PDB file of all heavy atoms in Angstrom:
ATOM      1  N   ASP A1317     -16.354 204.373 309.090  1.00 65.00           N
ATOM      2  CA  ASP A1317     -15.006 204.414 309.709  1.00 65.00           C
ATOM      3  C   ASP A1317     -13.969 203.486 308.926  1.00 65.00           C
ATOM      4  O   ASP A1317     -12.834 203.471 309.304  1.00 65.00           O
ATOM      5  CB  ASP A1317     -15.032 203.937 311.179  1.00 65.00           C
ATOM      6  CG  ASP A1317     -15.266 202.462 311.359  1.00 65.00           C
ATOM      7  OD1 ASP A1317     -15.869 201.828 310.491  1.00 65.00           O
ATOM      8  OD2 ASP A1317     -14.747 201.950 312.271  1.00 65.00           O
ATOM      9  N   VAL A1318     -14.358 202.938 307.841  1.00 67.00           N
ATOM     10  CA  VAL A1318     -13.499 202.083 307.066  1.00 67.00           C
ATOM     11  C   VAL A1318     -12.921 203.024 305.937  1.00 67.00           C
ATOM     12  O   VAL A1318     -13.688 203.612 305.189  1.00 67.00           O
ATOM     13  CB  VAL A1318     -14.163 200.844 306.464  1.00 67.00           C
ATOM     14  CG1 VAL A1318     -13.212 200.090 305.548  1.00 67.00           C
ATOM     15  CG2 VAL A1318     -14.688 200.003 307.653  1.00 67.00           C
ATOM     16  N   THR A1319     -11.620 202.920 305.721  1.00 62.00           N
ATOM     17  CA  THR A1319     -10.944 203.662 304.645  1.00 62.00           C
ATOM     18  C   THR A1319     -11.620 203.234 303.342  1.00 62.00           C
ATOM     19  O   THR A1319     -11.559 202.040 302.884  1.00 62.00           O
ATOM     20  CB  THR A1319      -9.482 203.519 304.621  1.00 62.00           C
ATOM     21  OG1 THR A1319      -8.997 203.936 305.855  1.00 62.00           O
ATOM     22  CG2 THR A1319      -8.839 204.331 303.462  1.00 62.00           C
ATOM     23  N   SER A1320     -12.288 204.137 302.600  1.00 61.00           N
ATOM     24  CA  SER A1320     -12.993 203.767 301.387  1.00 61.00           C
ATOM     25  C   SER A1320     -12.167 203.801 300.173  1.00 61.00           C
ATOM     26  O   SER A1320     -11.155 204.469 300.129  1.00 61.00           O
ATOM     27  CB  SER A1320     -14.227 204.695 301.289  1.00 61.00           C
ATOM     28  OG  SER A1320     -14.954 204.331 300.116  1.00 61.00           O
ATOM     29  N   THR A1321     -12.594 203.090 299.206  1.00 67.00           N
ATOM     30  CA  THR A1321     -11.944 203.150 297.905  1.00 67.00           C
ATOM     31  C   THR A1321     -12.536 204.227 297.150  1.00 67.00           C
ATOM     32  O   THR A1321     -13.559 204.925 297.622  1.00 67.00           O
ATOM     33  CB  THR A1321     -12.151 201.891 297.176  1.00 67.00           C
ATOM     34  OG1 THR A1321     -13.526 201.652 296.987  1.00 67.00           O
ATOM     35  CG2 THR A1321     -11.598 200.701 297.883  1.00 67.00           C
ATOM     36  N   ARG A1322     -12.128 204.587 295.971  1.00 73.00           N
ATOM     37  CA  ARG A1322     -12.749 205.663 295.139  1.00 73.00           C
ATOM     38  C   ARG A1322     -14.210 205.265 294.747  1.00 73.00           C
ATOM     39  O   ARG A1322     -14.522 204.161 294.655  1.00 73.00           O
ATOM     40  CB  ARG A1322     -11.874 205.965 293.960  1.00 73.00           C
ATOM     41  CG  ARG A1322     -11.802 204.825 292.913  1.00 73.00           C
ATOM     42  CD  ARG A1322     -10.920 205.207 291.780  1.00 73.00           C
ATOM     43  NE  ARG A1322     -10.638 204.057 290.955  1.00 73.00           N
ATOM     44  CZ  ARG A1322     -11.356 203.788 289.915  1.00 73.00           C
ATOM     45  NH1 ARG A1322     -12.430 204.471 289.552  1.00 73.00           N
ATOM     46  NH2 ARG A1322     -11.080 202.627 289.140  1.00 73.00           N
ATOM     47  N   ALA A1323     -15.001 206.320 294.629  1.00 81.00           N
ATOM     48  CA  ALA A1323     -16.387 206.100 294.192  1.00 81.00           C
ATOM     49  C   ALA A1323     -16.433 205.799 292.701  1.00 81.00           C
ATOM     50  O   ALA A1323     -15.940 206.533 291.911  1.00 81.00           O
ATOM     51  CB  ALA A1323     -17.263 207.278 294.520  1.00 81.00           C
ATOM     52  N   THR A1324     -16.980 204.623 292.468  1.00 90.00           N
ATOM     53  CA  THR A1324     -17.098 204.203 290.962  1.00 90.00           C
ATOM     54  C   THR A1324     -18.070 203.078 290.870  1.00 90.00           C
ATOM     55  O   THR A1324     -18.704 202.632 291.858  1.00 90.00           O
ATOM     56  CB  THR A1324     -15.709 203.802 290.411  1.00 90.00           C
ATOM     57  OG1 THR A1324     -15.821 203.562 288.980  1.00 90.00           O
ATOM     58  CG2 THR A1324     -15.264 202.443 291.082  1.00 90.00           C
ATOM     59  N   TYR A1325     -18.338 202.526 289.675  1.00 94.00           N
ATOM     60  CA  TYR A1325     -19.159 201.380 289.471  1.00 94.00           C
ATOM     61  C   TYR A1325     -18.525 200.198 290.092  1.00 94.00           C
ATOM     62  O   TYR A1325     -17.408 199.824 289.854  1.00 94.00           O
ATOM     63  CB  TYR A1325     -19.439 201.196 287.956  1.00 94.00           C
ATOM     64  CG  TYR A1325     -20.150 202.249 287.367  1.00 94.00           C
ATOM     65  CD1 TYR A1325     -19.535 203.408 286.713  1.00 94.00           C
ATOM     66  CD2 TYR A1325     -21.550 202.321 287.273  1.00 94.00           C
ATOM     67  CE1 TYR A1325     -20.261 204.454 286.128  1.00 94.00           C
ATOM     68  CE2 TYR A1325     -22.277 203.366 286.770  1.00 94.00           C
ATOM     69  CZ  TYR A1325     -21.602 204.384 286.191  1.00 94.00           C
ATOM     70  OH  TYR A1325     -22.300 205.392 285.565  1.00 94.00           O
ATOM     71  N   GLY A1326     -19.309 199.562 290.983  1.00 95.00           N
ATOM     72  CA  GLY A1326     -18.886 198.308 291.611  1.00 95.00           C
ATOM     73  C   GLY A1326     -19.927 197.703 292.368  1.00 95.00           C
ATOM     74  O   GLY A1326     -21.094 198.073 292.352  1.00 95.00           O
ATOM     75  N   PHE A1327     -19.594 196.683 293.182  1.00 96.00           N
ATOM     76  CA  PHE A1327     -20.548 195.991 293.980  1.00 96.00           C
ATOM     77  C   PHE A1327     -19.878 195.384 295.243  1.00 96.00           C
ATOM     78  O   PHE A1327     -18.594 195.192 295.211  1.00 96.00           O
ATOM     79  CB  PHE A1327     -21.340 194.896 293.167  1.00 96.00           C
ATOM     80  CG  PHE A1327     -20.457 193.729 292.691  1.00 96.00           C
ATOM     81  CD1 PHE A1327     -20.364 192.597 293.369  1.00 96.00           C
ATOM     82  CD2 PHE A1327     -19.868 193.881 291.413  1.00 96.00           C
ATOM     83  CE1 PHE A1327     -19.619 191.524 292.885  1.00 96.00           C
ATOM     84  CE2 PHE A1327     -19.109 192.891 290.894  1.00 96.00           C
ATOM     85  CZ  PHE A1327     -18.985 191.698 291.616  1.00 96.00           C
ATOM     86  N   THR A1328     -20.649 194.948 296.193  1.00 96.00           N
ATOM     87  CA  THR A1328     -20.124 194.400 297.444  1.00 96.00           C
ATOM     88  C   THR A1328     -20.844 193.065 297.777  1.00 96.00           C
ATOM     89  O   THR A1328     -22.052 193.018 297.665  1.00 96.00           O
ATOM     90  CB  THR A1328     -20.423 195.487 298.557  1.00 96.00           C
ATOM     91  OG1 THR A1328     -19.850 196.749 298.145  1.00 96.00           O
ATOM     92  CG2 THR A1328     -19.771 194.963 299.833  1.00 96.00           C
ATOM     93  N   LEU A1329     -20.115 192.110 298.130  1.00 98.00           N
ATOM     94  CA  LEU A1329     -20.716 190.855 298.673  1.00 98.00           C
ATOM     95  C   LEU A1329     -20.333 190.784 300.155  1.00 98.00           C
ATOM     96  O   LEU A1329     -19.148 190.799 300.553  1.00 98.00           O
ATOM     97  CB  LEU A1329     -20.060 189.657 297.987  1.00 98.00           C
ATOM     98  CG  LEU A1329     -20.284 189.583 296.431  1.00 98.00           C
ATOM     99  CD1 LEU A1329     -19.842 188.242 295.923  1.00 98.00           C
ATOM    100  CD2 LEU A1329     -21.822 189.738 296.066  1.00 98.00           C
ATOM    101  N   ASN A1330     -21.328 190.843 300.998  1.00 98.00           N
ATOM    102  CA  ASN A1330     -21.186 190.824 302.391  1.00 98.00           C
ATOM    103  C   ASN A1330     -21.576 189.435 302.968  1.00 98.00           C
ATOM    104  O   ASN A1330     -22.621 188.932 302.630  1.00 98.00           O
ATOM    105  CB  ASN A1330     -22.098 191.834 303.134  1.00 98.00           C
ATOM    106  CG  ASN A1330     -21.475 193.242 303.065  1.00 98.00           C
ATOM    107  OD1 ASN A1330     -20.292 193.375 303.142  1.00 98.00           O
ATOM    108  ND2 ASN A1330     -22.289 194.322 302.944  1.00 98.00           N
ATOM    109  N   SER A1331     -20.671 188.841 303.740  1.00 98.00           N
ATOM    110  CA  SER A1331     -20.878 187.572 304.348  1.00 98.00           C
ATOM    111  C   SER A1331     -21.202 187.726 305.800  1.00 98.00           C
ATOM    112  O   SER A1331     -20.438 188.294 306.528  1.00 98.00           O
ATOM    113  CB  SER A1331     -19.641 186.715 304.246  1.00 98.00           C
ATOM    114  OG  SER A1331     -19.376 186.361 302.851  1.00 98.00           O
ATOM    115  N   CYS A1332     -22.352 187.267 306.246  1.00 98.00           N
ATOM    116  CA  CYS A1332     -22.883 187.403 307.586  1.00 98.00           C
ATOM    117  C   CYS A1332     -22.890 186.072 308.294  1.00 98.00           C
ATOM    118  O   CYS A1332     -23.486 185.105 307.737  1.00 98.00           O
ATOM    119  CB  CYS A1332     -24.261 187.974 307.480  1.00 98.00           C
ATOM    120  SG  CYS A1332     -25.325 187.878 309.020  1.00 98.00           S
ATOM    121  N   VAL A1333     -22.230 186.044 309.482  1.00 98.00           N
ATOM    122  CA  VAL A1333     -22.282 184.830 310.280  1.00 98.00           C
ATOM    123  C   VAL A1333     -23.750 184.792 310.967  1.00 98.00           C
ATOM    124  O   VAL A1333     -24.077 185.680 311.826  1.00 98.00           O
ATOM    125  CB  VAL A1333     -21.236 184.771 311.420  1.00 98.00           C
ATOM    126  CG1 VAL A1333     -21.347 183.620 312.269  1.00 98.00           C
ATOM    127  CG2 VAL A1333     -19.845 184.849 310.701  1.00 98.00           C
ATOM    128  N   MET A1334     -24.537 183.839 310.694  1.00 98.00           N
ATOM    129  CA  MET A1334     -25.931 183.826 311.160  1.00 98.00           C
ATOM    130  C   MET A1334     -26.166 183.428 312.615  1.00 98.00           C
ATOM    131  O   MET A1334     -27.113 183.892 313.235  1.00 98.00           O
ATOM    132  CB  MET A1334     -26.759 182.922 310.200  1.00 98.00           C
ATOM    133  CG  MET A1334     -26.887 183.449 308.814  1.00 98.00           C
ATOM    134  SD  MET A1334     -28.198 182.681 307.924  1.00 98.00           S
ATOM    135  CE  MET A1334     -27.592 180.997 307.849  1.00 98.00           C
ATOM    136  N   ARG A1335     -25.297 182.565 313.089  1.00 98.00           N
ATOM    137  CA  ARG A1335     -25.481 182.054 314.532  1.00 98.00           C
ATOM    138  C   ARG A1335     -24.176 182.384 315.210  1.00 98.00           C
ATOM    139  O   ARG A1335     -23.496 181.435 315.696  1.00 98.00           O
ATOM    140  CB  ARG A1335     -25.810 180.659 314.480  1.00 98.00           C
ATOM    141  CG  ARG A1335     -27.192 180.332 313.951  1.00 98.00           C
ATOM    142  CD  ARG A1335     -27.379 178.851 313.495  1.00 98.00           C
ATOM    143  NE  ARG A1335     -27.253 177.834 314.606  1.00 98.00           N
ATOM    144  CZ  ARG A1335     -28.167 177.478 315.348  1.00 98.00           C
ATOM    145  NH1 ARG A1335     -29.431 177.824 315.193  1.00 98.00           N
ATOM    146  NH2 ARG A1335     -27.931 176.547 316.310  1.00 98.00           N
ATOM    147  N   PRO A1336     -23.879 183.634 315.493  1.00 98.00           N
ATOM    148  CA  PRO A1336     -22.584 183.992 316.142  1.00 98.00           C
ATOM    149  C   PRO A1336     -22.481 183.435 317.491  1.00 98.00           C
ATOM    150  O   PRO A1336     -23.459 183.462 318.253  1.00 98.00           O
ATOM    151  CB  PRO A1336     -22.633 185.497 316.082  1.00 98.00           C
ATOM    152  CG  PRO A1336     -24.017 185.893 316.045  1.00 98.00           C
ATOM    153  CD  PRO A1336     -24.663 184.861 315.227  1.00 98.00           C
ATOM    154  N   LYS A1337     -21.327 183.011 317.925  1.00 98.00           N
ATOM    155  CA  LYS A1337     -21.030 182.465 319.213  1.00 98.00           C
ATOM    156  C   LYS A1337     -20.552 183.580 320.147  1.00 98.00           C
ATOM    157  O   LYS A1337     -20.436 183.384 321.363  1.00 98.00           O
ATOM    158  CB  LYS A1337     -20.014 181.303 319.184  1.00 98.00           C
ATOM    159  CG  LYS A1337     -20.603 180.124 318.452  1.00 98.00           C
ATOM    160  CD  LYS A1337     -19.589 178.977 318.383  1.00 98.00           C
ATOM    161  CE  LYS A1337     -20.119 177.721 317.666  1.00 98.00           C
ATOM    162  NZ  LYS A1337     -19.123 176.625 317.550  1.00 98.00           N
ATOM    163  N   SER A1338     -20.103 184.751 319.578  1.00 98.00           N
ATOM    164  CA  SER A1338     -19.655 185.785 320.522  1.00 98.00           C
ATOM    165  C   SER A1338     -20.811 186.409 321.252  1.00 98.00           C
ATOM    166  O   SER A1338     -21.910 186.462 320.646  1.00 98.00           O
ATOM    167  CB  SER A1338     -19.006 186.896 319.598  1.00 98.00           C
ATOM    168  OG  SER A1338     -17.889 186.441 318.899  1.00 98.00           O
ATOM    169  N   ARG A1339     -20.641 186.791 322.438  1.00 98.00           N
ATOM    170  CA  ARG A1339     -21.717 187.430 323.181  1.00 98.00           C
ATOM    171  C   ARG A1339     -21.221 188.742 323.768  1.00 98.00           C
ATOM    172  O   ARG A1339     -20.102 188.869 324.222  1.00 98.00           O
ATOM    173  CB  ARG A1339     -22.099 186.456 324.411  1.00 98.00           C
ATOM    174  CG  ARG A1339     -22.728 185.203 323.984  1.00 98.00           C
ATOM    175  CD  ARG A1339     -24.094 185.396 323.382  1.00 98.00           C
ATOM    176  NE  ARG A1339     -24.777 184.182 323.000  1.00 98.00           N
ATOM    177  CZ  ARG A1339     -24.736 183.562 321.828  1.00 98.00           C
ATOM    178  NH1 ARG A1339     -23.940 184.118 320.820  1.00 98.00           N
ATOM    179  NH2 ARG A1339     -25.381 182.420 321.519  1.00 98.00           N
ATOM    180  N   GLY A1340     -22.044 189.737 323.730  1.00 97.00           N
ATOM    181  CA  GLY A1340     -21.797 191.040 324.214  1.00 97.00           C
ATOM    182  C   GLY A1340     -22.689 191.399 325.343  1.00 97.00           C
ATOM    183  O   GLY A1340     -23.379 190.633 326.004  1.00 97.00           O
ATOM    184  N   ARG A1341     -22.714 192.744 325.579  1.00 97.00           N
ATOM    185  CA  ARG A1341     -23.599 193.210 326.677  1.00 97.00           C
ATOM    186  C   ARG A1341     -23.949 194.721 326.470  1.00 97.00           C
ATOM    187  O   ARG A1341     -23.239 195.429 325.740  1.00 97.00           O
ATOM    188  CB  ARG A1341     -22.972 193.031 328.040  1.00 97.00           C
ATOM    189  CG  ARG A1341     -21.643 193.709 328.281  1.00 97.00           C
ATOM    190  CD  ARG A1341     -21.064 193.287 329.655  1.00 97.00           C
ATOM    191  NE  ARG A1341     -19.755 193.880 329.812  1.00 97.00           N
ATOM    192  CZ  ARG A1341     -19.549 195.054 330.457  1.00 97.00           C
ATOM    193  NH1 ARG A1341     -20.572 195.773 330.924  1.00 97.00           N
ATOM    194  NH2 ARG A1341     -18.351 195.542 330.556  1.00 97.00           N
ATOM    195  N   VAL A1342     -24.919 195.128 327.176  1.00 97.00           N
ATOM    196  CA  VAL A1342     -25.354 196.553 327.253  1.00 97.00           C
ATOM    197  C   VAL A1342     -25.374 196.958 328.611  1.00 97.00           C
ATOM    198  O   VAL A1342     -25.887 196.343 329.472  1.00 97.00           O
ATOM    199  CB  VAL A1342     -26.783 196.665 326.634  1.00 97.00           C
ATOM    200  CG1 VAL A1342     -27.173 198.169 326.648  1.00 97.00           C
ATOM    201  CG2 VAL A1342     -26.828 196.207 325.202  1.00 97.00           C
ATOM    202  N   SER A1343     -24.665 198.090 328.922  1.00 96.00           N
ATOM    203  CA  SER A1343     -24.692 198.651 330.270  1.00 96.00           C
ATOM    204  C   SER A1343     -25.033 200.203 330.215  1.00 96.00           C
ATOM    205  O   SER A1343     -24.941 200.788 329.209  1.00 96.00           O
ATOM    206  CB  SER A1343     -23.340 198.420 330.945  1.00 96.00           C
ATOM    207  OG  SER A1343     -22.311 199.155 330.301  1.00 96.00           O
ATOM    208  N   LEU A1344     -25.317 200.650 331.397  1.00 96.00           N
ATOM    209  CA  LEU A1344     -25.637 202.124 331.405  1.00 96.00           C
ATOM    210  C   LEU A1344     -24.402 202.930 331.487  1.00 96.00           C
ATOM    211  O   LEU A1344     -23.400 202.629 332.194  1.00 96.00           O
ATOM    212  CB  LEU A1344     -26.479 202.440 332.733  1.00 96.00           C
ATOM    213  CG  LEU A1344     -27.939 201.817 332.793  1.00 96.00           C
ATOM    214  CD1 LEU A1344     -28.598 202.200 334.118  1.00 96.00           C
ATOM    215  CD2 LEU A1344     -28.697 202.337 331.630  1.00 96.00           C
ATOM    216  N   GLN A1345     -24.389 204.069 330.812  1.00 93.00           N
ATOM    217  CA  GLN A1345     -23.356 205.019 330.882  1.00 93.00           C
ATOM    218  C   GLN A1345     -23.477 205.860 331.991  1.00 93.00           C
ATOM    219  O   GLN A1345     -22.510 206.085 332.781  1.00 93.00           O
ATOM    220  CB  GLN A1345     -23.367 205.909 329.496  1.00 93.00           C
ATOM    221  CG  GLN A1345     -22.167 206.755 329.303  1.00 93.00           C
ATOM    222  CD  GLN A1345     -22.290 207.388 327.954  1.00 93.00           C
ATOM    223  OE1 GLN A1345     -21.420 208.258 327.619  1.00 93.00           O
ATOM    224  NE2 GLN A1345     -23.164 207.065 327.103  1.00 93.00           N
ATOM    225  N   THR A1346     -24.662 206.376 332.243  1.00 94.00           N
ATOM    226  CA  THR A1346     -25.057 207.182 333.457  1.00 94.00           C
ATOM    227  C   THR A1346     -26.503 206.941 333.741  1.00 94.00           C
ATOM    228  O   THR A1346     -27.143 206.143 333.032  1.00 94.00           O
ATOM    229  CB  THR A1346     -24.953 208.748 333.147  1.00 94.00           C
ATOM    230  OG1 THR A1346     -25.986 209.151 332.281  1.00 94.00           O
ATOM    231  CG2 THR A1346     -23.652 209.011 332.479  1.00 94.00           C
ATOM    232  N   ALA A1347     -26.970 207.493 334.853  1.00 95.00           N
ATOM    233  CA  ALA A1347     -28.411 207.343 335.109  1.00 95.00           C
ATOM    234  C   ALA A1347     -29.239 208.342 334.456  1.00 95.00           C
ATOM    235  O   ALA A1347     -30.524 208.406 334.653  1.00 95.00           O
ATOM    236  CB  ALA A1347     -28.569 207.530 336.666  1.00 95.00           C
ATOM    237  N   ASP A1348     -28.701 209.111 333.480  1.00 95.00           N
ATOM    238  CA  ASP A1348     -29.500 210.029 332.707  1.00 95.00           C
ATOM    239  C   ASP A1348     -30.200 209.342 331.612  1.00 95.00           C
ATOM    240  O   ASP A1348     -29.624 208.630 330.796  1.00 95.00           O
ATOM    241  CB  ASP A1348     -28.435 211.083 332.106  1.00 95.00           C
ATOM    242  CG  ASP A1348     -29.188 212.055 331.214  1.00 95.00           C
ATOM    243  OD1 ASP A1348     -30.381 212.063 331.084  1.00 95.00           O
ATOM    244  OD2 ASP A1348     -28.476 212.939 330.586  1.00 95.00           O
ATOM    245  N   PRO A1349     -31.509 209.357 331.594  1.00 94.00           N
ATOM    246  CA  PRO A1349     -32.306 208.556 330.583  1.00 94.00           C
ATOM    247  C   PRO A1349     -32.091 209.052 329.166  1.00 94.00           C
ATOM    248  O   PRO A1349     -32.420 208.405 328.216  1.00 94.00           O
ATOM    249  CB  PRO A1349     -33.779 208.773 330.976  1.00 94.00           C
ATOM    250  CG  PRO A1349     -33.728 210.014 331.869  1.00 94.00           C
ATOM    251  CD  PRO A1349     -32.415 210.111 332.533  1.00 94.00           C
ATOM    252  N   ASN A1350     -31.506 210.227 328.939  1.00 93.00           N
ATOM    253  CA  ASN A1350     -31.184 210.789 327.610  1.00 93.00           C
ATOM    254  C   ASN A1350     -29.897 210.315 327.110  1.00 93.00           C
ATOM    255  O   ASN A1350     -29.632 210.559 325.934  1.00 93.00           O
ATOM    256  CB  ASN A1350     -31.218 212.339 327.731  1.00 93.00           C
ATOM    257  CG  ASN A1350     -32.721 212.819 327.968  1.00 93.00           C
ATOM    258  OD1 ASN A1350     -33.641 212.553 327.298  1.00 93.00           O
ATOM    259  ND2 ASN A1350     -32.782 213.608 329.083  1.00 93.00           N
ATOM    260  N   ALA A1351     -29.035 209.734 327.905  1.00 94.00           N
ATOM    261  CA  ALA A1351     -27.854 209.148 327.379  1.00 94.00           C
ATOM    262  C   ALA A1351     -27.946 207.839 326.787  1.00 94.00           C
ATOM    263  O   ALA A1351     -28.721 206.960 327.191  1.00 94.00           O
ATOM    264  CB  ALA A1351     -26.827 209.114 328.617  1.00 94.00           C
ATOM    265  N   THR A1352     -27.264 207.551 325.661  1.00 94.00           N
ATOM    266  CA  THR A1352     -27.242 206.241 325.135  1.00 94.00           C
ATOM    267  C   THR A1352     -26.532 205.241 326.009  1.00 94.00           C
ATOM    268  O   THR A1352     -25.576 205.593 326.753  1.00 94.00           O
ATOM    269  CB  THR A1352     -26.741 206.236 323.678  1.00 94.00           C
ATOM    270  OG1 THR A1352     -25.385 206.672 323.792  1.00 94.00           O
ATOM    271  CG2 THR A1352     -27.468 207.040 322.702  1.00 94.00           C
ATOM    272  N   PRO A1353     -26.828 203.955 325.966  1.00 95.00           N
ATOM    273  CA  PRO A1353     -26.154 202.996 326.770  1.00 95.00           C
ATOM    274  C   PRO A1353     -24.767 202.686 326.133  1.00 95.00           C
ATOM    275  O   PRO A1353     -24.428 203.109 325.099  1.00 95.00           O
ATOM    276  CB  PRO A1353     -27.030 201.795 326.729  1.00 95.00           C
ATOM    277  CG  PRO A1353     -27.775 201.949 325.462  1.00 95.00           C
ATOM    278  CD  PRO A1353     -27.965 203.413 325.207  1.00 95.00           C
ATOM    279  N   ILE A1354     -23.917 202.051 326.991  1.00 95.00           N
ATOM    280  CA  ILE A1354     -22.624 201.569 326.441  1.00 95.00           C
ATOM    281  C   ILE A1354     -22.837 200.195 325.867  1.00 95.00           C
ATOM    282  O   ILE A1354     -23.423 199.282 326.538  1.00 95.00           O
ATOM    283  CB  ILE A1354     -21.568 201.574 327.511  1.00 95.00           C
ATOM    284  CG1 ILE A1354     -21.447 202.886 328.196  1.00 95.00           C
ATOM    285  CG2 ILE A1354     -20.219 201.043 326.973  1.00 95.00           C
ATOM    286  CD1 ILE A1354     -20.500 202.899 329.427  1.00 95.00           C
ATOM    287  N   VAL A1355     -22.379 199.976 324.637  1.00 97.00           N
ATOM    288  CA  VAL A1355     -22.660 198.653 324.019  1.00 97.00           C
ATOM    289  C   VAL A1355     -21.334 197.967 323.720  1.00 97.00           C
ATOM    290  O   VAL A1355     -20.441 198.594 323.251  1.00 97.00           O
ATOM    291  CB  VAL A1355     -23.409 198.898 322.649  1.00 97.00           C
ATOM    292  CG1 VAL A1355     -23.790 197.569 321.975  1.00 97.00           C
ATOM    293  CG2 VAL A1355     -24.718 199.723 322.880  1.00 97.00           C
ATOM    294  N   TYR A1356     -21.328 196.730 324.035  1.00 96.00           N
ATOM    295  CA  TYR A1356     -20.227 195.779 323.764  1.00 96.00           C
ATOM    296  C   TYR A1356     -20.548 194.704 322.880  1.00 96.00           C
ATOM    297  O   TYR A1356     -20.935 193.634 323.363  1.00 96.00           O
ATOM    298  CB  TYR A1356     -19.615 195.242 325.113  1.00 96.00           C
ATOM    299  CG  TYR A1356     -19.165 196.275 326.073  1.00 96.00           C
ATOM    300  CD1 TYR A1356     -20.061 196.894 326.965  1.00 96.00           C
ATOM    301  CD2 TYR A1356     -17.843 196.674 326.235  1.00 96.00           C
ATOM    302  CE1 TYR A1356     -19.675 197.827 327.926  1.00 96.00           C
ATOM    303  CE2 TYR A1356     -17.493 197.556 327.228  1.00 96.00           C
ATOM    304  CZ  TYR A1356     -18.410 198.167 328.084  1.00 96.00           C
ATOM    305  OH  TYR A1356     -17.985 199.136 328.995  1.00 96.00           O
ATOM    306  N   PRO A1357     -20.670 194.901 321.618  1.00 96.00           N
ATOM    307  CA  PRO A1357     -21.104 193.849 320.704  1.00 96.00           C
ATOM    308  C   PRO A1357     -20.151 192.691 320.629  1.00 96.00           C
ATOM    309  O   PRO A1357     -20.556 191.560 320.247  1.00 96.00           O
ATOM    310  CB  PRO A1357     -21.278 194.513 319.318  1.00 96.00           C
ATOM    311  CG  PRO A1357     -20.411 195.728 319.365  1.00 96.00           C
ATOM    312  CD  PRO A1357     -20.320 196.136 320.873  1.00 96.00           C
TER     313      PRO A1357
END
């Protein structure tokens, strides 16, 4: 979903926060077991 640059030779350095303080949750979308849950990361 991120607007990409043109495809070419390059590389990416990703920085990951290892001990995040943000907290999210998972809830049910419906009682249908085939439905994915709603996720709030």
Side-chain angles (χ1 to χ4, degrees):
D1317 73 330
V1318 177
T1319 302
S1320 182
T1321 59
R1322 63 184 172 90
T1324 188
Y1325 293 93
F1327 63 95
T1328 308
L1329 301 186
N1330 279 323
S1331 295
C1332 165
V1333 177
M1334 291 195 295
R1335 292 159 60 91
K1337 294 181 179 178
S1338 300
R1339 295 292 183 268
R1341 61 188 176 91
V1342 177
S1343 64
L1344 292 179
Q1345 189 173 174
T1346 72
D1348 180 0
N1350 294 303
T1352 57
I1354 305 173
V1355 184
Y1356 301 82

